[in-house]
Amino acid sequence: MKRWNGWGDTSIEHPLHEQAEQFLVERIGTIQPAPSAELADVLTAVPSSRLPDHPLIDTTAETRLRHARGQSFPDWVALRSGHISTFPDGVAFPTSDQDLRDLLTFAAQHDLKLLPYGGGTSVVGHLTLAPDSPPVLTVSLARLNQLRRFDATSHLATFGAGVTGPDLEAQLRARGFTLGHFPQSFEYSTLGGWVVTRSSGQQSRGYGRIEELFAGGTLLAPAGELTLPPFPGSAAGPDLRQLVLGSEGRLGILSEATVRVSPLPEKERFFGIFFPNFEAGHTAVREIMQAKLPVSMLRLSTGIETETNLALAGHENLIGLLERLLKFRGVRDEKAMLLVGLTGTANIVDATRKAVLSLAKQNDGVHVGEQFGQQWYKGRFRTPYLRNTLWDKGVAVDTLETAVTWDKVDSTIARIETALHDALGQEGERGHVFTHLSHIYPSGCSIYTTYLFRLHADPEVNLRRWHALKAAVSTAVVNSGGTISHQHGVGHDHAPYLEAEKGALGMDTLRTLARQFDPTGQMAGTNW
């Protein structure tokens, strides 16, 4: 069963070994277990629904609670403390596009707000409702999850937008194909959610970001329907797919999506390379990308993240052996780890591996084989479970991401990490902050930063601290010339910083689009 107040399945745990816990205590201070509200107690606080009856709508307290929040830091504070101020008035479970049309009509007749719901994995507040909101009907797309059409000749597949990552891949793999889109939320996030938030997968370097994979689909809006045929290319004016990509539920509900799929790869390899420092590593990854080598993933950790990953990994004998090898090769305390993924035919994978290792060697990289890459691959969807463990122990965890051009990488990382440390210092707290480059492009890369700090006994203090951290680091991102979101969308958390990126005319354009698709403001998505 899925956790109601944390990440993932209740049967899966991610324990923290004693040495790892001591590592964190040394960096943020003594920690105390954090209490969590009980489900039964929270359910008593769910108010009565304001919706009229409808056969597709569930108004029970537990269903509404389980669809009330996502996975952002404020969401976790609310769920763990039980202080949840707003709930949807009901959750609809359509099973067809006609059901969606009927729900749009029903909402218009009864002056309801509509909020699309995919997998509930948003980390930027997409599901947060305003305290004074009129009645809200959340529309779960969970039952729109089937493969509707498959064209093996054109390599196109059309799914209901509510299909989750595992179900999508299972239906494709049965036919010898893959989409290759693997965000860390893969197990629970949905195809529709990927499209409307412009998602990136861990191997997007090889398979493409979702905007490259999204070929067309159908958007059901209050003003009508937008049908997007899956043309291989078109010069017929602006590409209307771009209106749906990143729309975040503001324009309507995406009912189906056609995606470009690939045959299952003949060969796939993941391996690790250690550099003497981060500078050498990011020179190497830039050269690899600008050489246009067909890698599927490059993920480079700073020295602090490398140290943290090794400390949290356990496997003392393996790590000890690695440390001795690296010291012998001149790679010591400031070492930076690069994980490389290669996907394709055997010939392409083997040739690319040789070229990557050659460029790495020119930058003093030390190849350590496939064990670290395979360990990462095996556990790549388990990492979010560590957040449950840390929160129980009294440690808050949050992440942020941006993307910048190569000339801004070092200064942006410095500004982000300094902003986090300074904001926590003003609270009299220490934070543990670490970063990696998660998606690499010829012209730049994304920057993904994780920060940990001690939870306070008072949830309101935790929320206030997070707002201070979010404001400080978002300002640092904007001042560095970075995008406010590389892969998670805007939501409510990033909305105040969107105009800095889009400009006044750009924001007016987005608002005009919203009025065109949703004249009465029926959709409760991201507020532009």
Side-chain angles (χ1 to χ4, degrees), residues 35 45 63 138 156 247 258 266 274 292 326 339 352 406 416 521:
T63 297
T138 290
L156 293 174
S247 58
T258 299
E266 180 182 336
F274 281 81
K292 302 188 185 303
L326 293 176
L339 293 175
T352 304
W406 283 115
I416 287 172

Side-chain angles (χ1 to χ4, degrees), residues 80-99:
R80 288 294 181 124
S81 67
H83 298 169
I84 306 169
S85 57
T86 56
F87 297 85
D89 289 272
V91 182
F93 294 91
T95 60
S96 67
D97 287 14
Q98 186 56 51
D99 283 348

Side-chain angles (χ1 to χ4, degrees), residues 94-373:
T95 60
S96 67
D97 287 14
Q98 186 56 51
D99 283 348
L100 282 175
R101 296 184 187 99
D102 293 344
L103 288 167
L104 281 164
T105 300
F106 177 79
Q109 291 172 342
H110 296 281
D111 196 23
L112 311 178
K113 289 280 191 178
L114 286 176
L115 182 64
Y117 185 101
T121 61
S122 168
V123 293
V124 292
H126 285 107
L127 301 177
T128 304
L129 302 174
D132 56 350
S133 174
V136 174
L137 173 60
T138 290
V139 180
S140 170
L141 301 176
R143 295 175 186 171
L144 298 177
N145 61 357
Q146 297 300 309
L147 176 61
R148 297 182 173 187
R149 294 179 295 281
F150 181 75
D151 182 345
T153 302
S154 304
H155 289 188
L156 293 174
T158 302
F159 288 91
V163 65
T164 61
D167 287 346
L168 178 147
E169 283 294 329
Q171 294 178 75
L172 287 179
R173 285 173 180 267
R175 293 164 172 81
F177 282 80
T178 180
L179 181 62
H181 194 74
F182 303 110
Q184 194 170 70
S185 61
F186 170 78
E187 293 179 313
Y188 293 99
S189 55
T190 64
L191 174 58
W194 300 340
V195 172
V196 301
T197 59
R198 302 184 75 98
S199 169
S200 278
Q202 294 165 341
Q203 291 170 262
S204 287
R205 187 65 258 157
Y207 290 105
R209 285 169 57 98
I210 199 65
E211 57 261 40
E212 299 167 83
L213 300 173
F214 177 56
T218 302
L219 181 79
L220 304 181
E225 297 184 17
L226 178 66
T227 300
L228 303 167
F231 298 126
S234 172
D239 186 352
L240 296 181
R241 290 179 315 119
Q242 297 297 330
L243 303 183
V244 177
L245 286 157
S247 58
E248 300 184 19
R250 183 62 189 89
L251 304 182
I253 301 175
L254 185 67
S255 64
E256 69 174 21
T258 299
V259 287
R260 301 180 175 104
V261 298
S262 302
L264 288 169
E266 180 182 336
K267 189 174 184 178
E268 194 161 55
R269 291 289 183 270
F270 296 91
F271 56 90
I273 302 171
F274 281 81
F275 293 89
N277 51 59
F278 181 68
E279 291 71 23
H282 85 63
T283 297
V285 297
R286 175 176 55 80
E287 291 177 351
I288 290 168
M289 282 312 309
Q290 292 175 345
K292 302 188 185 303
L293 295 179
V295 297
S296 61
M297 184 191 77
L298 293 169
R299 178 186 174 117
L300 177 70
S301 296
T302 61
I304 295 175
E305 180 168 286
T306 299
E307 178 189 22
T308 302
N309 287 340
L310 295 178
L312 299 185
H315 310 296
E316 290 182 54
N317 292 336
L318 174 62
I319 300 301
L321 180 63
L322 170 73
E323 296 282 8
R324 291 192 293 273
L325 168 66
L326 293 176
K327 286 180 180 178
F328 178 75
R329 299 288 296 274
V331 178
R332 297 180 181 274
D333 293 343
E334 295 182 0
K335 58 185 173 292
M337 181 173 69
L338 171 66
L339 293 175
V340 181
L342 305 177
T343 304
T345 66
N347 287 342
I348 289 176
V349 167
D350 292 343
T352 304
R353 178 179 177 277
K354 184 180 295 185
V356 166
L357 291 178
S358 175
L359 282 172
K361 187 175 181 180
Q362 293 174 31
N363 289 280
D364 300 320
V366 176
H367 177 219
V368 295
E370 295 188 7
Q371 186 153 7
F372 281 93

Side-chain angles (χ1 to χ4, degrees), residues 369-384:
E370 295 188 7
Q371 186 153 7
F372 281 93
Q374 290 302 319
Q375 286 294 324
W376 171 83
Y377 182 80
K378 285 168 56 180
R380 61 178 174 164
F381 304 130
R382 293 297 180 94
T383 303

